[in-house]
Amino acid sequence: LLKRLEKGKKLEIFKGPRVTWYRPVTIDELLKLKYQIPESKIIFGNTEVGIETKFKNQFYSNLIYSGDIEEVNFIKENLDTH
């Protein structure tokens, strides 16, 4: 994960003939993309999209990969219960 994050700490866009992948690296970028492209599908892995496209005949022309956003790649335990 660190190597992926170090590779490029900026939004990247990969355009194919049918699908455009967006790779934001901040939550703000993710929210802006979702606002600008409301029909886009946010993914972290790809399992559900794979099932939806293969078995449910779904098609997504815009995919936003959220796995390189640092804030969503950890779990923080809060021991303060007050």
Side-chain angles (χ1 to χ4, degrees), residues 18-67:
R18 297 182 57 203
V19 178
T20 301
W21 279 75
Y22 299 87
R23 188 192 69 99
V25 293
T26 67
I27 289 178
D28 284 342
E29 288 175 343
L30 173 69
L31 294 174
K32 286 177 188 173
L33 283 168
K34 189 61 178 168
Y35 178 78
Q36 293 169 346
I37 315 164
E39 73 280 1
S40 62
K41 179 83 168 179
I42 297 174
I43 59 173
F44 190 85
N46 198 14
T47 305
E48 183 63 25
V49 172
I51 291 169
E52 289 175 343
T53 56
K54 186 171 184 176
F55 299 111
K56 298 179 182 178
N57 296 319
Q58 295 283 348
F59 176 73
Y60 302 103
S61 58
N62 293 288
L63 298 170
I64 302 174
Y65 175 67
S66 60

Side-chain angles (χ1 to χ4, degrees), residues 6-23:
E6 290 170 4
K7 183 170 43 172
K9 290 194 174 198
K10 62 180 178 135
L11 170 69
E12 291 186 320
I13 301 170
F14 306 96
K15 291 189 177 206
R18 297 182 57 203
V19 178
T20 301
W21 279 75
Y22 299 87
R23 188 192 69 99

